[in-house]
Amino acid sequence: MTVRRQRGGRPRDSRVDHEILRTTRELLDEVGYPALTVDQVAARAGVGKAAIYRRYASKAEMAFVATVHERELPAPVATGSLRGDLLALVRTFHVRMAAPAARELAPALIGELAVNPELRARFQDTFLATEQAAFAKIIEQAVARGELAGAVDPAMAHLLLLGSLASGLYILELPVDDAMVTDLATAAAAGITALADRSGRSRASTV
């Protein structure tokens, strides 16, 4: 049996993980996020509710993992340039965020996050922190190459790129294609470079 070990817990069956997420995606397509329940997922997946709650703290978290990304992301692709690294990252996110299931989830989830401080804090500490860590790595690599004059707050880099992508997809409902994604990466790279240059000038003026 294939298992994945949880920190401080018993082995976790990866087949159950797969079935929960597959079933969640199916039900999102069929009934939509507002009508989705953990009971429905458990019944169709053939697992107990406890198995779901060992993995996810809420329906929102389960649906987010099923449609957008898990708690961990693959290591950022090292293309050799800041723009290239950002483009590789945003293309990966675009594929998932533009999918019908993610578009269905996003408005309801944004509404829940706005009124549920506990849920918002959990998302910030897990998914948002994971995304910002990817930007921190990209910035670190760019500084090491000499491409950036200094470090930039990864939260700002995240806002420039993924914030713009999310706004285009879910708020403005633009037809975001690869050409637009490429332009977003180019604009984000220019913005990050400008922030690094300003930070470098500020440090130089205090020396």
Side-chain angles (χ1 to χ4, degrees):
M1 181 175 67
T2 302
V3 299
R4 184 167 65 215
R5 289 195 173 274
Q6 286 178 296
R7 206 179 321 164
R10 62 183 178 178
R12 198 170 85 186
D13 190 338
S14 62
R15 292 177 301 181
V16 174
D17 295 343
H18 172 78
E19 195 62 23
I20 290 170
L21 296 179
R22 184 191 67 78
T23 301
T24 300
R25 286 189 286 268
E26 278 186 0
L27 287 167
L28 283 169
D29 287 342
E30 293 175 18
V31 305
Y33 178 73
L36 178 72
T37 67
V38 172
D39 286 310
Q40 289 173 328
V41 174
R44 183 176 294 191
V47 304
K49 285 175 63 177
I52 294 177
Y53 283 118
R54 278 198 299 271
R55 291 160 170 80
Y56 310 109
S58 65
K59 179 184 85 167
E61 185 173 337
M62 177 181 67
F64 187 88
V65 172
T67 58
V68 184
H69 71 78
E70 297 189 12
R71 295 181 187 89
E72 295 183 5
L73 292 171
V77 177
T79 66
S81 74
L82 174 63
R83 178 185 174 278
D85 291 353
L86 293 173
L87 180 56
L89 181 68
V90 74
R91 277 177 169 162
T92 298
F93 273 91
H94 178 239
V95 169
R96 299 299 298 274
M97 291 171 65
R103 286 179 176 271
E104 169 75 22
L105 168 67
L109 180 56
I110 290 170
E112 285 191 42
L113 291 171
V115 300
N116 188 332
E118 183 178 347
L119 179 63
R120 185 166 62 248
R122 182 168 175 82
F123 266 70
Q124 289 171 342
D125 292 342
T126 53
F127 302 111
L128 187 59
T130 297
E131 293 170 11
Q132 291 182 357
F135 280 92
K137 182 65 176 177
I138 288 173
I139 291 166
E140 178 185 331
Q141 292 171 342
V143 171
R145 288 192 301 264
E147 195 174 356
L148 291 179
V152 173
D153 183 355
M156 180 59 72
H158 180 277
L159 179 62
L160 287 171
L161 188 53
L162 293 189
S164 297
L165 177 62
S167 177
L169 287 171
Y170 305 141
I171 299 175
L172 301 177
E173 298 186 352
L174 299 174
V176 180
D177 57 12
D178 190 65
M180 185 178 292
V181 166
T182 301
D183 287 344
L184 287 176
T186 300
I192 291 168
T193 300
L195 289 172
D197 288 344
R198 186 180 68 181
S199 177
R201 289 194 299 270
S202 296
R203 286 196 303 273
S205 66
T206 61
V207 175

mmCIF file with all atom_site columns, all heavy atoms in Angstrom, residues 96-115:
data_model
loop_
_atom_site.group_PDB
_atom_site.id
_atom_site.type_symbol
_atom_site.label_atom_id
_atom_site.label_alt_id
_atom_site.label_comp_id
_atom_site.label_asym_id
_atom_site.label_entity_id
_atom_site.label_seq_id
_atom_site.pdbx_PDB_ins_code
_atom_site.Cartn_x
_atom_site.Cartn_y
_atom_site.Cartn_z
_atom_site.occupancy
_atom_site.B_iso_or_equiv
_atom_site.pdbx_formal_charge
_atom_site.auth_seq_id
_atom_site.auth_comp_id
_atom_site.auth_asym_id
_atom_site.auth_atom_id
_atom_site.pdbx_PDB_model_num
ATOM 1   N N   . ARG A 1 96  ? -4.216  26.453 -13.327 1.00 0.00 ? 96  ARG A N   1
ATOM 2   C CA  . ARG A 1 96  ? -5.160  26.034 -12.290 1.00 0.00 ? 96  ARG A CA  1
ATOM 3   C C   . ARG A 1 96  ? -6.209  27.105 -11.990 1.00 0.00 ? 96  ARG A C   1
ATOM 4   O O   . ARG A 1 96  ? -7.392  26.810 -11.840 1.00 0.00 ? 96  ARG A O   1
ATOM 5   C CB  . ARG A 1 96  ? -4.400  25.697 -11.002 1.00 0.00 ? 96  ARG A CB  1
ATOM 6   C CG  . ARG A 1 96  ? -3.406  24.561 -11.131 1.00 0.00 ? 96  ARG A CG  1
ATOM 7   C CD  . ARG A 1 96  ? -4.070  23.250 -11.540 1.00 0.00 ? 96  ARG A CD  1
ATOM 8   N NE  . ARG A 1 96  ? -5.026  22.768 -10.577 1.00 0.00 ? 96  ARG A NE  1
ATOM 9   C CZ  . ARG A 1 96  ? -4.737  22.014 -9.521  1.00 0.00 ? 96  ARG A CZ  1
ATOM 10  N NH1 . ARG A 1 96  ? -3.478  21.667 -9.291  1.00 0.00 ? 96  ARG A NH1 1
ATOM 11  N NH2 . ARG A 1 96  ? -5.681  21.586 -8.703  1.00 0.00 ? 96  ARG A NH2 1
ATOM 12  N N   . MET A 1 97  ? -5.777  28.355 -11.896 1.00 0.00 ? 97  MET A N   1
ATOM 13  C CA  . MET A 1 97  ? -6.691  29.425 -11.504 1.00 0.00 ? 97  MET A CA  1
ATOM 14  C C   . MET A 1 97  ? -7.737  29.731 -12.572 1.00 0.00 ? 97  MET A C   1
ATOM 15  O O   . MET A 1 97  ? -8.821  30.230 -12.265 1.00 0.00 ? 97  MET A O   1
ATOM 16  C CB  . MET A 1 97  ? -5.904  30.686 -11.159 1.00 0.00 ? 97  MET A CB  1
ATOM 17  C CG  . MET A 1 97  ? -5.079  30.558 -9.890  1.00 0.00 ? 97  MET A CG  1
ATOM 18  S SD  . MET A 1 97  ? -3.946  31.963 -9.615  1.00 0.00 ? 97  MET A SD  1
ATOM 19  C CE  . MET A 1 97  ? -5.112  33.312 -9.373  1.00 0.00 ? 97  MET A CE  1
ATOM 20  N N   . ALA A 1 98  ? -7.412  29.439 -13.840 1.00 0.00 ? 98  ALA A N   1
ATOM 21  C CA  . ALA A 1 98  ? -8.355  29.721 -14.927 1.00 0.00 ? 98  ALA A CA  1
ATOM 22  C C   . ALA A 1 98  ? -9.298  28.556 -15.199 1.00 0.00 ? 98  ALA A C   1
ATOM 23  O O   . ALA A 1 98  ? -10.229 28.688 -16.000 1.00 0.00 ? 98  ALA A O   1
ATOM 24  C CB  . ALA A 1 98  ? -7.597  30.062 -16.205 1.00 0.00 ? 98  ALA A CB  1
ATOM 25  N N   . ALA A 1 99  ? -9.092  27.431 -14.525 1.00 0.00 ? 99  ALA A N   1
ATOM 26  C CA  . ALA A 1 99  ? -9.952  26.265 -14.736 1.00 0.00 ? 99  ALA A CA  1
ATOM 27  C C   . ALA A 1 99  ? -11.371 26.566 -14.251 1.00 0.00 ? 99  ALA A C   1
ATOM 28  O O   . ALA A 1 99  ? -11.559 27.350 -13.308 1.00 0.00 ? 99  ALA A O   1
ATOM 29  C CB  . ALA A 1 99  ? -9.382  25.057 -14.008 1.00 0.00 ? 99  ALA A CB  1
ATOM 30  N N   . PRO A 1 100 ? -12.377 25.966 -14.864 1.00 0.00 ? 100 PRO A N   1
ATOM 31  C CA  . PRO A 1 100 ? -13.770 26.240 -14.465 1.00 0.00 ? 100 PRO A CA  1
ATOM 32  C C   . PRO A 1 100 ? -14.032 26.025 -12.981 1.00 0.00 ? 100 PRO A C   1
ATOM 33  O O   . PRO A 1 100 ? -14.761 26.807 -12.358 1.00 0.00 ? 100 PRO A O   1
ATOM 34  C CB  . PRO A 1 100 ? -14.566 25.256 -15.329 1.00 0.00 ? 100 PRO A CB  1
ATOM 35  C CG  . PRO A 1 100 ? -13.725 25.054 -16.546 1.00 0.00 ? 100 PRO A CG  1
ATOM 36  C CD  . PRO A 1 100 ? -12.314 25.086 -16.050 1.00 0.00 ? 100 PRO A CD  1
ATOM 37  N N   . ALA A 1 101 ? -13.464 24.962 -12.395 1.00 0.00 ? 101 ALA A N   1
ATOM 38  C CA  . ALA A 1 101 ? -13.708 24.687 -10.971 1.00 0.00 ? 101 ALA A CA  1
ATOM 39  C C   . ALA A 1 101 ? -13.157 25.809 -10.096 1.00 0.00 ? 101 ALA A C   1
ATOM 40  O O   . ALA A 1 101 ? -13.783 26.215 -9.112  1.00 0.00 ? 101 ALA A O   1
ATOM 41  C CB  . ALA A 1 101 ? -13.079 23.353 -10.575 1.00 0.00 ? 101 ALA A CB  1
ATOM 42  N N   . ALA A 1 102 ? -11.990 26.331 -10.447 1.00 0.00 ? 102 ALA A N   1
ATOM 43  C CA  . ALA A 1 102 ? -11.408 27.419 -9.668  1.00 0.00 ? 102 ALA A CA  1
ATOM 44  C C   . ALA A 1 102 ? -12.216 28.702 -9.829  1.00 0.00 ? 102 ALA A C   1
ATOM 45  O O   . ALA A 1 102 ? -12.411 29.453 -8.866  1.00 0.00 ? 102 ALA A O   1
ATOM 46  C CB  . ALA A 1 102 ? -9.958  27.653 -10.097 1.00 0.00 ? 102 ALA A CB  1
ATOM 47  N N   . ARG A 1 103 ? -12.710 28.949 -11.033 1.00 0.00 ? 103 ARG A N   1
ATOM 48  C CA  . ARG A 1 103 ? -13.545 30.133 -11.263 1.00 0.00 ? 103 ARG A CA  1
ATOM 49  C C   . ARG A 1 103 ? -14.856 30.041 -10.490 1.00 0.00 ? 103 ARG A C   1
ATOM 50  O O   . ARG A 1 103 ? -15.386 31.045 -10.017 1.00 0.00 ? 103 ARG A O   1
ATOM 51  C CB  . ARG A 1 103 ? -13.820 30.293 -12.755 1.00 0.00 ? 103 ARG A CB  1
ATOM 52  C CG  . ARG A 1 103 ? -12.628 30.798 -13.565 1.00 0.00 ? 103 ARG A CG  1
ATOM 53  C CD  . ARG A 1 103 ? -13.022 30.901 -15.033 1.00 0.00 ? 103 ARG A CD  1
ATOM 54  N NE  . ARG A 1 103 ? -11.976 31.466 -15.847 1.00 0.00 ? 103 ARG A NE  1
ATOM 55  C CZ  . ARG A 1 103 ? -11.798 32.760 -16.092 1.00 0.00 ? 103 ARG A CZ  1
ATOM 56  N NH1 . ARG A 1 103 ? -12.612 33.638 -15.536 1.00 0.00 ? 103 ARG A NH1 1
ATOM 57  N NH2 . ARG A 1 103 ? -10.824 33.194 -16.866 1.00 0.00 ? 103 ARG A NH2 1
ATOM 58  N N   . GLU A 1 104 ? -15.366 28.829 -10.352 1.00 0.00 ? 104 GLU A N   1
ATOM 59  C CA  . GLU A 1 104 ? -16.583 28.617 -9.577  1.00 0.00 ? 104 GLU A CA  1
ATOM 60  C C   . GLU A 1 104 ? -16.332 28.855 -8.098  1.00 0.00 ? 104 GLU A C   1
ATOM 61  O O   . GLU A 1 104 ? -17.155 29.441 -7.384  1.00 0.00 ? 104 GLU A O   1
ATOM 62  C CB  . GLU A 1 104 ? -17.072 27.180 -9.803  1.00 0.00 ? 104 GLU A CB  1
ATOM 63  C CG  . GLU A 1 104 ? -18.168 26.717 -8.865  1.00 0.00 ? 104 GLU A CG  1
ATOM 64  C CD  . GLU A 1 104 ? -19.522 27.314 -9.185  1.00 0.00 ? 104 GLU A CD  1
ATOM 65  O OE1 . GLU A 1 104 ? -19.714 27.748 -10.337 1.00 0.00 ? 104 GLU A OE1 1
ATOM 66  O OE2 . GLU A 1 104 ? -20.373 27.353 -8.283  1.00 0.00 ? 104 GLU A OE2 1
ATOM 67  N N   . LEU A 1 105 ? -15.180 28.416 -7.631  1.00 0.00 ? 105 LEU A N   1
ATOM 68  C CA  . LEU A 1 105 ? -14.854 28.511 -6.208  1.00 0.00 ? 105 LEU A CA  1
ATOM 69  C C   . LEU A 1 105 ? -14.522 29.930 -5.771  1.00 0.00 ? 105 LEU A C   1
ATOM 70  O O   . LEU A 1 105 ? -14.919 30.366 -4.687  1.00 0.00 ? 105 LEU A O   1
ATOM 71  C CB  . LEU A 1 105 ? -13.671 27.587 -5.902  1.00 0.00 ? 105 LEU A CB  1
ATOM 72  C CG  . LEU A 1 105 ? -12.994 27.742 -4.530  1.00 0.00 ? 105 LEU A CG  1
ATOM 73  C CD1 . LEU A 1 105 ? -13.945 27.325 -3.415  1.00 0.00 ? 105 LEU A CD1 1
ATOM 74  C CD2 . LEU A 1 105 ? -11.703 26.935 -4.480  1.00 0.00 ? 105 LEU A CD2 1
ATOM 75  N N   . ALA A 1 106 ? -13.768 30.649 -6.594  1.00 0.00 ? 106 ALA A N   1
ATOM 76  C CA  . ALA A 1 106 ? -13.143 31.900 -6.168  1.00 0.00 ? 106 ALA A CA  1
ATOM 77  C C   . ALA A 1 106 ? -14.099 32.920 -5.540  1.00 0.00 ? 106 ALA A C   1
ATOM 78  O O   . ALA A 1 106 ? -13.821 33.411 -4.438  1.00 0.00 ? 106 ALA A O   1
ATOM 79  C CB  . ALA A 1 106 ? -12.385 32.526 -7.336  1.00 0.00 ? 106 ALA A CB  1
ATOM 80  N N   . PRO A 1 107 ? -15.218 33.287 -6.174  1.00 0.00 ? 107 PRO A N   1
ATOM 81  C CA  . PRO A 1 107 ? -16.069 34.319 -5.564  1.00 0.00 ? 107 PRO A CA  1
ATOM 82  C C   . PRO A 1 107 ? -16.588 33.934 -4.180  1.00 0.00 ? 107 PRO A C   1
ATOM 83  O O   . PRO A 1 107 ? -16.586 34.752 -3.252  1.00 0.00 ? 107 PRO A O   1
ATOM 84  C CB  . PRO A 1 107 ? -17.215 34.465 -6.577  1.00 0.00 ? 107 PRO A CB  1
ATOM 85  C CG  . PRO A 1 107 ? -16.661 33.964 -7.861  1.00 0.00 ? 107 PRO A CG  1
ATOM 86  C CD  . PRO A 1 107 ? -15.736 32.854 -7.480  1.00 0.00 ? 107 PRO A CD  1
ATOM 87  N N   . ALA A 1 108 ? -17.024 32.663 -4.041  1.00 0.00 ? 108 ALA A N   1
ATOM 88  C CA  . ALA A 1 108 ? -17.538 32.225 -2.746  1.00 0.00 ? 108 ALA A CA  1
ATOM 89  C C   . ALA A 1 108 ? -16.439 32.194 -1.696  1.00 0.00 ? 108 ALA A C   1
ATOM 90  O O   . ALA A 1 108 ? -16.651 32.590 -0.542  1.00 0.00 ? 108 ALA A O   1
ATOM 91  C CB  . ALA A 1 108 ? -18.179 30.848 -2.881  1.00 0.00 ? 108 ALA A CB  1
ATOM 92  N N   . LEU A 1 109 ? -15.260 31.733 -2.085  1.00 0.00 ? 109 LEU A N   1
ATOM 93  C CA  . LEU A 1 109 ? -14.152 31.656 -1.134  1.00 0.00 ? 109 LEU A CA  1
ATOM 94  C C   . LEU A 1 109 ? -13.699 33.050 -0.710  1.00 0.00 ? 109 LEU A C   1
ATOM 95  O O   . LEU A 1 109 ? -13.435 33.289 0.475   1.00 0.00 ? 109 LEU A O   1
ATOM 96  C CB  . LEU A 1 109 ? -12.986 30.887 -1.757  1.00 0.00 ? 109 LEU A CB  1
ATOM 97  C CG  . LEU A 1 109 ? -11.741 30.723 -0.880  1.00 0.00 ? 109 LEU A CG  1
ATOM 98  C CD1 . LEU A 1 109 ? -12.075 30.056 0.436   1.00 0.00 ? 109 LEU A CD1 1
ATOM 99  C CD2 . LEU A 1 109 ? -10.671 29.932 -1.624  1.00 0.00 ? 109 LEU A CD2 1
ATOM 100 N N   . ILE A 1 110 ? -13.617 33.968 -1.645  1.00 0.00 ? 110 ILE A N   1
ATOM 101 C CA  . ILE A 1 110 ? -13.245 35.348 -1.312  1.00 0.00 ? 110 ILE A CA  1
ATOM 102 C C   . ILE A 1 110 ? -14.239 35.928 -0.315  1.00 0.00 ? 110 ILE A C   1
ATOM 103 O O   . ILE A 1 110 ? -13.868 36.602 0.647   1.00 0.00 ? 110 ILE A O   1
ATOM 104 C CB  . ILE A 1 110 ? -13.169 36.206 -2.590  1.00 0.00 ? 110 ILE A CB  1
ATOM 105 C CG1 . ILE A 1 110 ? -11.964 35.778 -3.438  1.00 0.00 ? 110 ILE A CG1 1
ATOM 106 C CG2 . ILE A 1 110 ? -13.060 37.698 -2.241  1.00 0.00 ? 110 ILE A CG2 1
ATOM 107 C CD1 . ILE A 1 110 ? -11.949 36.391 -4.828  1.00 0.00 ? 110 ILE A CD1 1
ATOM 108 N N   . GLY A 1 111 ? -15.525 35.646 -0.535  1.00 0.00 ? 111 GLY A N   1
ATOM 109 C CA  . GLY A 1 111 ? -16.544 36.116 0.397   1.00 0.00 ? 111 GLY A CA  1
ATOM 110 C C   . GLY A 1 111 ? -16.374 35.513 1.782   1.00 0.00 ? 111 GLY A C   1
ATOM 111 O O   . GLY A 1 111 ? -16.510 36.215 2.793   1.00 0.00 ? 111 GLY A O   1
ATOM 112 N N   . GLU A 1 112 ? -16.062 34.218 1.860   1.00 0.00 ? 112 GLU A N   1
ATOM 113 C CA  . GLU A 1 112 ? -15.852 33.572 3.154   1.00 0.00 ? 112 GLU A CA  1
ATOM 114 C C   . GLU A 1 112 ? -14.640 34.143 3.868   1.00 0.00 ? 112 GLU A C   1
ATOM 115 O O   . GLU A 1 112 ? -14.663 34.385 5.086   1.00 0.00 ? 112 GLU A O   1
ATOM 116 C CB  . GLU A 1 112 ? -15.686 32.066 2.967   1.00 0.00 ? 112 GLU A CB  1
ATOM 117 C CG  . GLU A 1 112 ? -16.964 31.330 2.671   1.00 0.00 ? 112 GLU A CG  1
ATOM 118 C CD  . GLU A 1 112 ? -16.784 29.830 2.749   1.00 0.00 ? 112 GLU A CD  1
ATOM 119 O OE1 . GLU A 1 112 ? -16.101 29.354 3.675   1.00 0.00 ? 112 GLU A OE1 1
ATOM 120 O OE2 . GLU A 1 112 ? -17.327 29.133 1.878   1.00 0.00 ? 112 GLU A OE2 1
ATOM 121 N N   . LEU A 1 113 ? -13.569 34.355 3.132   1.00 0.00 ? 113 LEU A N   1
ATOM 122 C CA  . LEU A 1 113 ? -12.356 34.902 3.742   1.00 0.00 ? 113 LEU A CA  1
ATOM 123 C C   . LEU A 1 113 ? -12.597 36.293 4.304   1.00 0.00 ? 113 LEU A C   1
ATOM 124 O O   . LEU A 1 113 ? -12.018 36.671 5.325   1.00 0.00 ? 113 LEU A O   1
ATOM 125 C CB  . LEU A 1 113 ? -11.227 34.940 2.701   1.00 0.00 ? 113 LEU A CB  1
ATOM 126 C CG  . LEU A 1 113 ? -10.675 33.587 2.247   1.00 0.00 ? 113 LEU A CG  1
ATOM 127 C CD1 . LEU A 1 113 ? -9.721  33.770 1.071   1.00 0.00 ? 113 LEU A CD1 1
ATOM 128 C CD2 . LEU A 1 113 ? -9.959  32.877 3.383   1.00 0.00 ? 113 LEU A CD2 1
ATOM 129 N N   . ALA A 1 114 ? -13.466 37.052 3.654   1.00 0.00 ? 114 ALA A N   1
ATOM 130 C CA  . ALA A 1 114 ? -13.730 38.420 4.086   1.00 0.00 ? 114 ALA A CA  1
ATOM 131 C C   . ALA A 1 114 ? -14.441 38.485 5.426   1.00 0.00 ? 114 ALA A C   1
ATOM 132 O O   . ALA A 1 114 ? -14.276 39.449 6.179   1.00 0.00 ? 114 ALA A O   1
ATOM 133 C CB  . ALA A 1 114 ? -14.548 39.154 3.021   1.00 0.00 ? 114 ALA A CB  1
ATOM 134 N N   . VAL A 1 115 ? -15.232 37.462 5.747   1.00 0.00 ? 115 VAL A N   1
ATOM 135 C CA  . VAL A 1 115 ? -16.049 37.515 6.963   1.00 0.00 ? 115 VAL A CA  1
ATOM 136 C C   . VAL A 1 115 ? -15.605 36.512 8.030   1.00 0.00 ? 115 VAL A C   1
ATOM 137 O O   . VAL A 1 115 ? -16.166 36.498 9.123   1.00 0.00 ? 115 VAL A O   1
ATOM 138 C CB  . VAL A 1 115 ? -17.537 37.269 6.639   1.00 0.00 ? 115 VAL A CB  1
ATOM 139 C CG1 . VAL A 1 115 ? -18.047 38.323 5.678   1.00 0.00 ? 115 VAL A CG1 1
ATOM 140 C CG2 . VAL A 1 115 ? -17.762 35.873 6.046   1.00 0.00 ? 115 VAL A CG2 1
#
